[in-house]
Short mmCIF file of all heavy atoms in Angstrom, two decimals:
data_model
loop_
_atom_site.label_atom_id
_atom_site.label_comp_id
_atom_site.label_asym_id
_atom_site.label_seq_id
_atom_site.Cartn_x
_atom_site.Cartn_y
_atom_site.Cartn_z
N GLY F 19 10.56 -40.42 -26.04
CA GLY F 19 9.95 -41.53 -25.30
C GLY F 19 9.64 -42.70 -26.22
O GLY F 19 9.88 -43.86 -25.85
N VAL F 20 9.16 -42.42 -27.41
CA VAL F 20 8.87 -43.46 -28.39
C VAL F 20 10.16 -44.10 -28.88
O VAL F 20 10.27 -45.33 -29.01
CB VAL F 20 8.05 -42.88 -29.57
CG1 VAL F 20 7.93 -43.91 -30.68
CG2 VAL F 20 6.67 -42.47 -29.11
N LEU F 21 11.16 -43.29 -29.20
CA LEU F 21 12.41 -43.80 -29.76
C LEU F 21 13.19 -44.64 -28.76
O LEU F 21 13.79 -45.65 -29.11
CB LEU F 21 13.28 -42.65 -30.26
CG LEU F 21 12.70 -41.80 -31.40
CD1 LEU F 21 13.73 -40.78 -31.84
CD2 LEU F 21 12.28 -42.67 -32.58
N VAL F 22 13.15 -44.23 -27.49
CA VAL F 22 13.97 -44.91 -26.49
C VAL F 22 13.23 -46.10 -25.85
O VAL F 22 13.81 -47.16 -25.62
CB VAL F 22 14.42 -43.92 -25.41
CG1 VAL F 22 15.16 -44.65 -24.27
CG2 VAL F 22 15.32 -42.85 -26.01
N PHE F 23 11.92 -45.90 -25.57
CA PHE F 23 11.19 -46.92 -24.81
C PHE F 23 10.22 -47.72 -25.67
O PHE F 23 9.51 -48.58 -25.16
CB PHE F 23 10.42 -46.25 -23.68
CG PHE F 23 11.30 -45.54 -22.72
CD1 PHE F 23 11.31 -44.15 -22.66
CD2 PHE F 23 12.13 -46.23 -21.85
CE1 PHE F 23 12.13 -43.48 -21.77
CE2 PHE F 23 12.95 -45.57 -20.95
CZ PHE F 23 12.94 -44.18 -20.91
N ASP F 24 10.15 -47.43 -26.96
CA ASP F 24 9.24 -48.10 -27.90
C ASP F 24 7.85 -47.47 -27.80
O ASP F 24 7.59 -46.59 -27.01
CB ASP F 24 9.18 -49.62 -27.65
CG ASP F 24 8.86 -50.39 -28.96
OD1 ASP F 24 8.65 -49.73 -29.98
OD2 ASP F 24 8.85 -51.62 -28.93
N LEU F 25 6.93 -47.98 -28.64
CA LEU F 25 5.68 -47.28 -28.88
C LEU F 25 4.74 -47.24 -27.68
O LEU F 25 4.22 -46.17 -27.31
CB LEU F 25 4.95 -47.91 -30.07
CG LEU F 25 5.59 -47.54 -31.42
CD1 LEU F 25 5.04 -48.45 -32.50
CD2 LEU F 25 5.32 -46.10 -31.76
N LEU F 26 4.45 -48.39 -27.06
CA LEU F 26 3.48 -48.38 -25.98
C LEU F 26 3.96 -47.59 -24.76
O LEU F 26 3.22 -46.78 -24.23
CB LEU F 26 3.13 -49.82 -25.59
CG LEU F 26 2.17 -50.50 -26.58
CD1 LEU F 26 1.93 -51.95 -26.16
CD2 LEU F 26 0.84 -49.76 -26.65
N PRO F 27 5.18 -47.78 -24.29
CA PRO F 27 5.66 -46.88 -23.22
C PRO F 27 5.68 -45.43 -23.67
O PRO F 27 5.36 -44.53 -22.88
CB PRO F 27 7.09 -47.39 -22.95
CG PRO F 27 7.08 -48.81 -23.41
CD PRO F 27 6.18 -48.84 -24.60
N GLY F 28 6.04 -45.20 -24.96
CA GLY F 28 6.00 -43.83 -25.47
C GLY F 28 4.61 -43.26 -25.45
O GLY F 28 4.40 -42.07 -25.17
N LEU F 29 3.61 -44.11 -25.75
CA LEU F 29 2.22 -43.65 -25.71
C LEU F 29 1.82 -43.29 -24.29
O LEU F 29 1.13 -42.29 -24.05
CB LEU F 29 1.30 -44.73 -26.26
CG LEU F 29 -0.20 -44.43 -26.23
CD1 LEU F 29 -0.52 -43.19 -27.04
CD2 LEU F 29 -0.99 -45.62 -26.75
N VAL F 30 2.22 -44.10 -23.32
CA VAL F 30 1.93 -43.80 -21.93
C VAL F 30 2.54 -42.47 -21.53
O VAL F 30 1.90 -41.65 -20.86
CB VAL F 30 2.45 -44.95 -21.02
CG1 VAL F 30 2.31 -44.55 -19.54
CG2 VAL F 30 1.68 -46.22 -21.29
N ILE F 31 3.79 -42.26 -21.94
CA ILE F 31 4.45 -40.98 -21.65
C ILE F 31 3.66 -39.84 -22.26
O ILE F 31 3.45 -38.79 -21.65
CB ILE F 31 5.88 -41.00 -22.18
CG1 ILE F 31 6.75 -41.96 -21.36
CG2 ILE F 31 6.50 -39.60 -22.14
CD1 ILE F 31 8.14 -42.18 -21.92
N ALA F 32 3.18 -40.04 -23.51
CA ALA F 32 2.42 -38.99 -24.19
C ALA F 32 1.12 -38.66 -23.46
O ALA F 32 0.78 -37.49 -23.26
CB ALA F 32 2.11 -39.41 -25.63
N VAL F 33 0.41 -39.70 -23.03
CA VAL F 33 -0.85 -39.50 -22.31
C VAL F 33 -0.60 -38.79 -20.96
O VAL F 33 -1.31 -37.85 -20.58
CB VAL F 33 -1.59 -40.82 -22.09
CG1 VAL F 33 -2.81 -40.64 -21.18
CG2 VAL F 33 -2.02 -41.40 -23.44
N VAL F 34 0.42 -39.26 -20.22
CA VAL F 34 0.74 -38.66 -18.95
C VAL F 34 1.12 -37.20 -19.13
O VAL F 34 0.70 -36.32 -18.36
CB VAL F 34 1.86 -39.43 -18.23
CG1 VAL F 34 2.36 -38.67 -17.00
CG2 VAL F 34 1.39 -40.80 -17.82
N LEU F 35 1.90 -36.90 -20.17
CA LEU F 35 2.26 -35.52 -20.44
C LEU F 35 1.05 -34.67 -20.73
O LEU F 35 0.95 -33.52 -20.29
CB LEU F 35 3.23 -35.46 -21.65
CG LEU F 35 4.71 -35.59 -21.33
CD1 LEU F 35 5.51 -35.63 -22.64
CD2 LEU F 35 5.19 -34.44 -20.47
N SER F 36 0.08 -35.21 -21.49
CA SER F 36 -1.14 -34.47 -21.78
C SER F 36 -1.87 -34.14 -20.50
O SER F 36 -2.35 -33.00 -20.32
CB SER F 36 -2.04 -35.30 -22.70
OG SER F 36 -1.44 -35.48 -23.96
N LEU F 37 -1.98 -35.11 -19.60
CA LEU F 37 -2.69 -34.86 -18.34
C LEU F 37 -1.93 -33.87 -17.47
O LEU F 37 -2.54 -33.00 -16.83
CB LEU F 37 -2.87 -36.18 -17.60
CG LEU F 37 -3.81 -37.19 -18.25
CD1 LEU F 37 -3.83 -38.50 -17.47
CD2 LEU F 37 -5.21 -36.62 -18.35
N VAL F 38 -0.60 -33.98 -17.45
CA VAL F 38 0.20 -33.02 -16.68
C VAL F 38 0.01 -31.61 -17.20
O VAL F 38 -0.14 -30.64 -16.44
CB VAL F 38 1.68 -33.43 -16.70
CG1 VAL F 38 2.55 -32.31 -16.14
CG2 VAL F 38 1.89 -34.69 -15.90
N LEU F 39 0.00 -31.48 -18.54
CA LEU F 39 -0.23 -30.15 -19.13
C LEU F 39 -1.57 -29.60 -18.74
O LEU F 39 -1.71 -28.41 -18.40
CB LEU F 39 -0.12 -30.25 -20.66
CG LEU F 39 1.27 -30.33 -21.28
CD1 LEU F 39 1.16 -30.50 -22.77
CD2 LEU F 39 2.04 -29.06 -20.96
N PHE F 40 -2.61 -30.44 -18.82
CA PHE F 40 -3.95 -29.99 -18.47
C PHE F 40 -4.02 -29.55 -17.01
O PHE F 40 -4.56 -28.49 -16.68
CB PHE F 40 -4.95 -31.13 -18.71
CG PHE F 40 -6.33 -30.85 -18.19
CD1 PHE F 40 -7.15 -29.94 -18.82
CD2 PHE F 40 -6.78 -31.51 -17.05
CE1 PHE F 40 -8.44 -29.68 -18.33
CE2 PHE F 40 -8.04 -31.25 -16.55
CZ PHE F 40 -8.87 -30.33 -17.19
N ILE F 41 -3.44 -30.37 -16.10
CA ILE F 41 -3.49 -30.05 -14.68
C ILE F 41 -2.70 -28.77 -14.40
O ILE F 41 -3.13 -27.88 -13.64
CB ILE F 41 -2.94 -31.22 -13.86
CG1 ILE F 41 -3.88 -32.42 -13.98
CG2 ILE F 41 -2.78 -30.84 -12.39
CD1 ILE F 41 -3.33 -33.71 -13.39
N ALA F 42 -1.52 -28.67 -15.04
CA ALA F 42 -0.68 -27.48 -14.82
C ALA F 42 -1.38 -26.22 -15.31
O ALA F 42 -1.36 -25.18 -14.63
CB ALA F 42 0.66 -27.66 -15.53
N TYR F 43 -2.01 -26.34 -16.47
CA TYR F 43 -2.72 -25.15 -17.01
C TYR F 43 -3.91 -24.78 -16.15
O TYR F 43 -4.13 -23.61 -15.85
CB TYR F 43 -3.19 -25.44 -18.45
CG TYR F 43 -3.95 -24.32 -19.07
CD1 TYR F 43 -3.29 -23.22 -19.63
CD2 TYR F 43 -5.34 -24.34 -19.12
CE1 TYR F 43 -3.98 -22.19 -20.20
CE2 TYR F 43 -6.05 -23.30 -19.69
CZ TYR F 43 -5.38 -22.23 -20.24
OH TYR F 43 -6.07 -21.19 -20.80
N SER F 44 -4.66 -25.80 -15.71
CA SER F 44 -5.87 -25.53 -14.91
C SER F 44 -5.52 -25.01 -13.52
O SER F 44 -6.30 -24.26 -12.93
CB SER F 44 -6.70 -26.80 -14.77
OG SER F 44 -7.11 -27.28 -16.03
N SER F 45 -4.37 -25.42 -12.98
CA SER F 45 -4.02 -25.04 -11.64
C SER F 45 -3.34 -23.67 -11.55
O SER F 45 -3.10 -23.16 -10.45
CB SER F 45 -3.09 -26.08 -11.01
OG SER F 45 -1.86 -26.11 -11.73
N ARG F 46 -3.07 -23.04 -12.70
CA ARG F 46 -2.43 -21.72 -12.69
C ARG F 46 -3.25 -20.72 -13.49
O ARG F 46 -2.81 -20.19 -14.50
CB ARG F 46 -1.02 -21.80 -13.27
CG ARG F 46 -0.10 -22.74 -12.49
CD ARG F 46 1.28 -22.82 -13.16
NE ARG F 46 1.95 -21.56 -13.14
CZ ARG F 46 2.74 -21.14 -12.15
NH1 ARG F 46 2.91 -21.92 -11.09
NH2 ARG F 46 3.34 -19.99 -12.20
N PRO F 47 -4.49 -20.45 -13.06
CA PRO F 47 -5.32 -19.51 -13.80
C PRO F 47 -4.80 -18.08 -13.68
O PRO F 47 -4.25 -17.69 -12.66
CB PRO F 47 -6.70 -19.66 -13.15
CG PRO F 47 -6.39 -20.07 -11.74
CD PRO F 47 -5.18 -20.94 -11.84
N ARG F 48 -5.01 -17.33 -14.72
CA ARG F 48 -4.61 -15.92 -14.71
C ARG F 48 -5.65 -15.11 -13.95
O ARG F 48 -6.85 -15.33 -14.11
CB ARG F 48 -4.48 -15.41 -16.14
CG ARG F 48 -4.08 -13.96 -16.25
CD ARG F 48 -3.84 -13.57 -17.70
NE ARG F 48 -3.56 -12.17 -17.83
CZ ARG F 48 -4.48 -11.23 -17.98
NH1 ARG F 48 -5.77 -11.58 -18.04
NH2 ARG F 48 -4.15 -9.95 -18.09
N LEU F 49 -5.20 -14.20 -13.14
CA LEU F 49 -6.12 -13.31 -12.41
C LEU F 49 -6.04 -11.94 -13.08
O LEU F 49 -5.04 -11.23 -12.97
CB LEU F 49 -5.71 -13.23 -10.93
CG LEU F 49 -6.68 -12.48 -10.02
CD1 LEU F 49 -8.02 -13.23 -9.94
CD2 LEU F 49 -6.08 -12.31 -8.65
N ALA F 50 -7.10 -11.56 -13.78
CA ALA F 50 -7.13 -10.29 -14.52
C ALA F 50 -7.67 -9.18 -13.65
O ALA F 50 -8.66 -9.36 -12.92
CB ALA F 50 -7.97 -10.43 -15.76
N GLU F 51 -7.05 -8.03 -13.71
CA GLU F 51 -7.59 -6.84 -13.04
C GLU F 51 -8.40 -6.05 -14.06
O GLU F 51 -7.95 -5.80 -15.18
CB GLU F 51 -6.46 -5.96 -12.48
CG GLU F 51 -6.98 -4.75 -11.75
CD GLU F 51 -5.89 -3.92 -11.12
OE1 GLU F 51 -4.70 -4.36 -11.16
OE2 GLU F 51 -6.19 -2.81 -10.59
N LEU F 52 -9.61 -5.66 -13.66
CA LEU F 52 -10.54 -5.00 -14.57
C LEU F 52 -10.62 -3.51 -14.27
O LEU F 52 -10.49 -3.09 -13.12
CB LEU F 52 -11.94 -5.63 -14.47
CG LEU F 52 -12.05 -7.14 -14.62
CD1 LEU F 52 -13.51 -7.57 -14.60
CD2 LEU F 52 -11.38 -7.62 -15.89
N GLY F 53 -10.86 -2.77 -15.35
CA GLY F 53 -11.06 -1.33 -15.23
C GLY F 53 -12.23 -0.91 -16.08
O GLY F 53 -12.65 -1.63 -17.00
N ARG F 54 -12.80 0.27 -15.77
CA ARG F 54 -13.94 0.76 -16.53
C ARG F 54 -13.45 1.29 -17.86
O ARG F 54 -12.57 2.14 -17.94
CB ARG F 54 -14.67 1.85 -15.74
CG ARG F 54 -15.97 2.29 -16.39
CD ARG F 54 -16.81 3.12 -15.46
NE ARG F 54 -16.12 4.32 -15.01
CZ ARG F 54 -16.65 5.18 -14.16
NH1 ARG F 54 -17.80 4.96 -13.62
NH2 ARG F 54 -15.94 6.28 -13.82
N VAL F 55 -14.06 0.76 -18.93
CA VAL F 55 -13.68 1.13 -20.28
C VAL F 55 -14.54 2.31 -20.73
O VAL F 55 -15.78 2.20 -20.77
CB VAL F 55 -13.85 -0.04 -21.27
CG1 VAL F 55 -13.47 0.37 -22.69
CG2 VAL F 55 -13.00 -1.23 -20.83
N GLY F 56 -13.89 3.41 -21.08
CA GLY F 56 -14.61 4.59 -21.51
C GLY F 56 -15.43 5.18 -20.36
O GLY F 56 -15.03 5.16 -19.21
N THR F 57 -16.61 5.67 -20.72
CA THR F 57 -17.50 6.25 -19.71
C THR F 57 -18.73 5.38 -19.44
O THR F 57 -19.61 5.76 -18.67
CB THR F 57 -17.98 7.64 -20.18
OG1 THR F 57 -18.66 7.48 -21.44
CG2 THR F 57 -16.81 8.59 -20.35
N GLY F 58 -18.78 4.22 -20.08
CA GLY F 58 -19.94 3.35 -19.93
C GLY F 58 -19.79 2.40 -18.78
O GLY F 58 -18.97 2.56 -17.88
N ARG F 59 -20.66 1.36 -18.80
CA ARG F 59 -20.69 0.40 -17.71
C ARG F 59 -19.88 -0.86 -18.06
O ARG F 59 -20.00 -1.87 -17.37
CB ARG F 59 -22.11 0.01 -17.39
CG ARG F 59 -22.93 1.16 -16.81
CD ARG F 59 -24.37 0.72 -16.56
NE ARG F 59 -25.10 1.80 -15.92
CZ ARG F 59 -26.40 1.74 -15.65
NH1 ARG F 59 -27.10 0.65 -15.97
NH2 ARG F 59 -27.04 2.75 -15.08
N VAL F 60 -19.11 -0.81 -19.11
CA VAL F 60 -18.32 -1.97 -19.53
C VAL F 60 -17.00 -1.96 -18.77
O VAL F 60 -16.30 -0.96 -18.73
CB VAL F 60 -18.06 -1.96 -21.04
CG1 VAL F 60 -17.17 -3.12 -21.45
CG2 VAL F 60 -19.39 -2.02 -21.79
N TRP F 61 -16.66 -3.12 -18.22
CA TRP F 61 -15.39 -3.28 -17.52
C TRP F 61 -14.56 -4.33 -18.25
O TRP F 61 -15.09 -5.36 -18.66
CB TRP F 61 -15.61 -3.71 -16.09
CG TRP F 61 -16.20 -2.60 -15.23
CD1 TRP F 61 -17.43 -2.05 -15.34
CD2 TRP F 61 -15.53 -1.90 -14.19
NE1 TRP F 61 -17.59 -1.06 -14.43
CE2 TRP F 61 -16.45 -0.94 -13.70
CE3 TRP F 61 -14.29 -2.00 -13.60
CZ2 TRP F 61 -16.13 -0.07 -12.65
CZ3 TRP F 61 -13.96 -1.15 -12.55
CH2 TRP F 61 -14.87 -0.19 -12.08
N GLY F 62 -13.28 -4.05 -18.45
CA GLY F 62 -12.42 -4.97 -19.20
C GLY F 62 -11.05 -5.09 -18.58
O GLY F 62 -10.64 -4.31 -17.71
N ASP F 63 -10.31 -6.09 -19.03
CA ASP F 63 -8.95 -6.36 -18.57
C ASP F 63 -8.06 -5.15 -18.89
O ASP F 63 -7.97 -4.72 -20.04
CB ASP F 63 -8.44 -7.62 -19.30
CG ASP F 63 -7.14 -8.10 -18.73
OD1 ASP F 63 -6.39 -7.34 -18.13
OD2 ASP F 63 -6.84 -9.32 -18.93
N ILE F 64 -7.40 -4.63 -17.88
CA ILE F 64 -6.60 -3.41 -18.08
C ILE F 64 -5.38 -3.67 -18.97
O ILE F 64 -4.83 -2.74 -19.55
CB ILE F 64 -6.15 -2.80 -16.74
CG1 ILE F 64 -5.26 -3.79 -15.97
CG2 ILE F 64 -7.36 -2.39 -15.92
CD1 ILE F 64 -4.65 -3.21 -14.69
N THR F 65 -4.97 -4.94 -19.10
CA THR F 65 -3.83 -5.24 -19.97
C THR F 65 -4.24 -5.35 -21.43
O THR F 65 -3.40 -5.32 -22.31
CB THR F 65 -3.14 -6.55 -19.56
OG1 THR F 65 -4.07 -7.63 -19.71
CG2 THR F 65 -2.66 -6.48 -18.12
N LEU F 66 -5.56 -5.47 -21.68
CA LEU F 66 -6.06 -5.59 -23.06
C LEU F 66 -6.73 -4.31 -23.56
O LEU F 66 -6.91 -4.16 -24.76
CB LEU F 66 -7.07 -6.75 -23.14
CG LEU F 66 -6.54 -8.14 -22.72
CD1 LEU F 66 -7.66 -9.16 -22.83
CD2 LEU F 66 -5.37 -8.53 -23.62
#
């Protein structure tokens, strides 16, 4: 974006990309399934 459109348009592209990344990451949260760890009252992510 910087090389083709010059610095200021490249900066706009960079900022927009940052916001898109933030929105994309925030809009796709992981849903973890929890299980009881050991015999206690601690529950944790079954994949971890």
Side-chain angles (χ1 to χ4, degrees):
V20 172
L21 297 184
V22 175
F23 300 108
D24 209 357
L25 286 167
L26 284 176
L29 177 60
V30 172
I31 291 172
V33 172
V34 170
L35 272 176
S36 294
L37 293 175
V38 169
L39 282 176
F40 171 74
I41 294 170
Y43 178 80
S44 300
S45 65
R46 300 178 65 89
R48 179 174 176 272
L49 188 66
E51 182 176 353
L52 307 185
R54 187 167 59 182
V55 179
T57 58
R59 293 178 177 176
V60 177
W61 289 67
D63 189 336
I64 62 174
T65 63
L66 302 178

